[in-house]
Amino acid sequence: QFPCPYMPGFLAFREVPFYSALLDRAAQAAGGIHFPQVVLVDGCGLLHPQRCGSACHLGVVRSIPTIGVSKNVFAIGGLDRSAIEEAFEAAQQ
């Protein structure tokens, strides 16, 4: 059961409680001894229209470093897919 309805741009409020519960279960399964040093999150981090995607939200809630691994690139502050591709190609030369 999701705690709130889906609203574009606010997916973190819907997903983070489940990510948090997974972290609890993982720590419990490891006997509380092991806990990840960083978490990769299926979602945005700072490159989000609100500057706080699911990765940032989880990191703040759980006080753990997170990295957002998004399927799509948002055009934010002049950074879009073509700008990233150009920077990548320039770095390869």
Side-chain angles (χ1 to χ4, degrees):
Q1 189 67 24
F2 288 104
C4 64
Y6 172 73
M7 291 174 51
F10 295 93
L11 189 59
F13 290 99
R14 186 172 163 108
E15 291 185 341
V16 167
F18 294 99
Y19 289 142
S20 186
L22 284 172
L23 287 173
D24 288 338
R25 286 177 57 192
Q28 192 174 40
I33 300 170
H34 303 287
F35 198 76
Q37 293 180 351
V38 66
V39 177
L40 300 177
V41 178
D42 180 17
C44 293
L46 288 175
L47 288 179
H48 182 274
Q50 305 293 332
R51 304 291 296 158
C52 186
S54 295
C56 292
H57 190 127
L58 180 64
V60 169
V61 168
R62 294 303 301 251
S63 298
I64 187 168
T66 55
I67 298 173
V69 184
S70 178
K71 295 176 214 66
N72 301 310
V73 177
F74 288 110
I76 298 174
L79 179 66
D80 60 7
R81 186 177 194 94
S82 63
I84 293 170
E85 289 172 354
E86 288 173 12
F88 182 75
E89 289 174 10
Q92 296 296 326
Q93 296 175 357

